Amino acid sequence: MLVLSSCQAIYSVVSQLIQVLKMAGSSTPWIGSAYLFLQSTCKTIILPNLYESSQKKPCVFKALKLALADSTGSVNGVDMLKVHCSHPHLIVQLKFCKQENCRRFLQSYREGLLQKSLQNHLQLSLAVTTVPLEMELKAGNEHLDNMLKDEDRCLECIYREKPDRLRDEEITELEERLKSLILHHNINNNMPSKDCMSPNSLSLPSQGSPLSPQVTFLFQGQQFDNRTLTPDDHQKFAKLVSKKWKQVGRSLQKNCRALRDPVIDNLAHEYDREGLYEQAYQMLLRFIQSEGKKATIARLIAALEENGLTSLSEELLGLHSNEDDS
């Protein structure tokens, strides 16, 4: 009995191995499909509503494209066939044409890297302070989140589910629009046109760039017009930010080379005698001089919110004065 049981176990393992090898070595293309369910846990950010908005749809699409490219290491690693709006979820139908790309995607999803990447890209594209997300992955009736540790089983489930549609015309249109904007950006910056859809060229700063000009942004559930920082903004910030100017500077430095280390520490030392106002003023001055038109109020508000400076954000947006008038 013991020998028979051992033989059956070995046979089962060998059968599974043969199945995986067949999938990898078959002359027919490895094609599979899955659905990615997305939901924001922030009450003021409803992803289906944003995607249904003609103004916000390109921003959401760009964030999805960038995050999926990050997950596989290639712009063409996974294809979006359609984006469905099913409140409160945004459902992305995915197509994989290579097992290797699907495996990378699963690893990124399992480790939470895809979630972080999409949150960051949505934050930049939509010019909001944060976009907390919940994600779920399905292939047919299978909930892949329950079996993520068994990568081969997940691959098998995705491989069994063949795409039931061609790419939606709207997706093709959005992708062509994105390519055109990136190509335009590259030409203006003397970059080779052949690189227009490389991951590096896709990962351009969103706020204020020609690729994705931000007309408005959300703060506390309200929409505000985006604009470049004014001298009045500059002075208010320096006057009110106090000791937290360095933390705000470190938040801004993520997308501003002029504030990279050790610039902020050098400013603190150089203007130590002048005090906090001058230190904060000089830090923001570096940001404005470096970023030009891309030094927007949305970027500063995002940095302030990241450091808990809600009151200063409200002051810069004129909310306090509006309350006083009423």
Side-chain angles (χ1 to χ4, degrees):
M1 288 292 291
L2 182 61
V3 173
L4 180 61
S5 177
S6 299
C7 289
Q8 288 175 337
I10 293 170
Y11 176 78
S12 175
V13 170
V14 170
S15 297
Q16 290 180 18
L17 182 60
I18 290 172
Q19 181 65 25
V20 171
L21 289 172
K22 279 182 178 179
M23 288 163 57
S26 173
S27 58
T28 57
W30 195 99
I31 295 175
S33 179
Y35 287 88
L36 182 64
F37 288 72
L38 305 169
Q39 179 182 355
S40 171
T41 56
C42 178
K43 293 181 180 179
T44 58
I45 299 176
I46 313 298
L47 291 179
N49 290 352
L50 292 172
Y51 196 79
E52 287 171 343
S53 161
S54 58
Q55 183 184 5
K56 297 296 183 183
K57 180 176 290 187
C59 300
V60 177
F61 177 80
K62 179 193 167 194
L64 288 168
K65 187 73 178 175
L66 289 171
L68 290 171
D70 289 344
S71 73
T72 61
S74 168
V75 176
N76 300 314
V78 55
D79 195 14
M80 280 187 282
L81 297 182
K82 186 173 178 63
V83 177
H84 305 266
C85 293
S86 179
H87 294 262
H89 292 99
L90 202 64
I91 308 171
V92 187
Q93 187 175 1
L94 304 173
K95 175 185 176 182
F96 300 91
C97 292
K98 288 184 180 180
Q99 188 187 62
E100 181 184 349
N101 289 335
C102 189
R103 191 181 293 277
R104 287 201 196 104
F105 170 86
L106 286 170
Q107 290 169 353
S108 177
Y109 182 86
R110 183 180 66 241
E111 294 168 7
L113 299 178
L114 175 61
Q115 183 181 28
K116 289 179 182 177
S117 175
L118 184 53
Q119 286 176 164
N120 290 337
H121 288 305
L122 284 170
Q123 180 180 338
L124 288 170
S125 290
L126 298 172
V128 293
T129 54
T130 182
V131 187
L133 289 177
E134 285 183 351
M135 308 177 82
E136 188 178 0
L137 189 62
K138 295 182 181 179
N141 295 324
E142 299 287 353
H143 292 252
L144 301 186
D145 296 72
N146 299 330
M147 60 178 83
L148 288 173
K149 292 182 179 180
D150 191 345
E151 200 170 275
D152 289 333
R153 188 181 170 195
C154 288
L155 285 168
E156 195 175 326
C157 292
I158 292 172
Y159 180 71
R160 280 202 308 262
E161 294 298 320
K162 303 304 181 189
D164 60 357
R165 63 175 302 122
L166 297 174
R167 182 195 283 189
D168 193 72
E169 289 183 7
E170 182 182 63
I171 297 293
T172 302
E173 183 182 328
L174 286 165
E175 190 152 294
E176 289 302 316
R177 180 177 173 184
L178 181 59
K179 285 181 183 177
S180 176
L181 287 168
I182 293 169
L183 181 61
H184 176 73
H185 176 89
N186 289 352
I187 290 171
N188 287 346
N189 290 276
N190 297 318
M191 291 174 65
S193 59
K194 66 180 181 180
D195 294 333
C196 75
M197 282 300 282
S198 69
N200 289 337
S201 66
L202 273 170
S203 300
L204 294 165
S206 301
Q207 295 163 325
S209 73
L211 179 60
S212 180
Q214 295 302 319
V215 179
T216 62
F217 66 99
L218 288 173
F219 175 75
Q220 296 182 346
Q222 298 181 53
Q223 277 200 337
F224 292 89
D225 292 334
N226 199 10
R227 53 178 171 76
T228 52
L229 293 170
T230 65
D232 188 47
D233 296 328
H234 196 168
Q235 290 171 8
K236 279 184 180 178
F237 170 82
K239 180 181 178 181
L240 300 173
V241 71
S242 189
K243 294 179 180 180
K244 283 200 171 183
W245 71 269
K246 291 178 76 173
Q247 289 96 311
V248 176
R250 297 196 192 286
S251 294
L252 290 171
Q253 77 177 183
K254 295 172 186 175
N255 295 304
C256 178
R257 292 183 179 179
L259 293 178
R260 296 283 167 85
D261 292 333
V263 172
I264 293 173
D265 288 334
N266 288 346
L267 286 172
H269 179 72
E270 186 177 350
Y271 294 94
D272 183 46
R273 289 186 179 181
E274 286 82 353
L276 292 172
Y277 176 92
E278 192 62 27
Q279 289 171 329
Y281 187 92
Q282 291 297 327
M283 183 278 291
L284 196 59
L285 180 62
R286 295 286 197 284
F287 176 72
I288 292 169
Q289 289 175 337
S290 169
E291 298 297 293
K293 291 182 179 180
K294 292 188 288 183
T296 61
I297 187 68
R299 291 176 71 181
L300 181 57
I301 294 297
L304 292 172
E305 283 296 280
E306 191 174 313
N307 292 282
L309 295 168
T310 303
S311 181
L312 178 48
S313 297
E314 292 170 347
E315 184 70 37
L316 290 172
L317 293 173
L319 297 180
H320 288 173
S321 58
N322 290 343
E323 291 169 3
D324 293 341
D325 293 340
S326 59

